[in-house]
Every structure is written in C-alpha cells, then in structure tokens.
C-alpha cells in the first residue's frame, strides 16, 4: 500500500456528506487538479483521488475502518481548518 506523508482524520464514522464536503473543499482549493474516477469497493467504501502537479490527494469514506479521512502527498493544513 502506498505511503502518504500527510494523513488527516475528517470524521470518526462513515459519512457520505462529510466525504462529499471534503471533495468539494479540495476541488475549490485546487481547481486545476485532475479528478480521477470515483472508486467504490464491494463494502461501500468510496475513494476519490486527485492529481495536483504530479502529487496525489486521496479522500476515503472507508466502511472497513469506519471513518472519513484524507491521505495526501501535499500538506493540506490550510484547507483542514
């Protein structure tokens, strides 16, 4: 599994609303980022990935872990506030 230098916990449970909100924030902050195809696992986990200047940002609504979180190669502390 890929290692990301930045990891942000967004919500301590599954939440499609929080997932969509985080994706919206990333899209607003990085309007030129390439949005990849939404991945949906058999357990309902959704993953939206973005590429910004060759670096990946991945937003998860993970039903196995039970949380919404972001893993990124870019420091996102500005948009996490």
């Amino acid at each position: 599994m890929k290692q990301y230098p930045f990891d942000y916990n967004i919500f301590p449970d599954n939440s499609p609303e929080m997932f969509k909100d985080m994706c919206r924030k990333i899209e607003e902050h990085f309007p030129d980022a390439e949005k990849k195809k939404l991945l949906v696992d058999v357990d309902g986990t959704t993953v939206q990935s973005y590429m910004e200047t060759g670096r990946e940002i991945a937003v998860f609504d993970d039903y196995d872990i039970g949380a919404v979180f972001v893993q990124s190669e870019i420091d996102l502390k500005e948009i996490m506030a």
Side-chain angles (χ1 to χ4, degrees):
M1 185 170 179
K2 186 173 183 174
Q3 295 293 326
Y4 296 86
F6 302 98
D7 195 347
Y8 304 92
N9 291 316
I10 306 303
F11 196 69
D13 200 357
N14 297 102
S15 174
E17 294 80 23
M18 295 298 289
F19 174 82
K20 290 176 189 173
D21 185 56
M22 192 67 242
C23 290
R24 180 190 53 76
K25 286 181 182 180
I26 290 169
E27 291 167 17
E28 287 175 358
H29 195 77
F30 299 103
D32 296 327
E34 178 188 354
K35 185 176 181 178
K36 300 291 187 172
K37 181 180 177 185
L38 180 70
L39 301 176
V40 181
D41 198 0
V42 294
D43 68 358
T45 294
T46 51
V47 181
Q48 181 63 66
S49 294
Y50 301 88
M51 291 301 291
E52 172 66 19
T53 61
R55 298 177 293 172
E56 186 176 19
I57 303 168
V59 182
F60 297 82
D61 187 5
D62 193 314
Y63 278 78
D64 185 42
I65 294 173
V68 177
F69 59 95
V70 176
Q71 294 183 329
S72 177
E73 295 179 308
I74 301 171
D75 187 349
L76 302 174
K77 66 182 170 197
E78 288 182 21
I79 62 174
M80 294 298 160

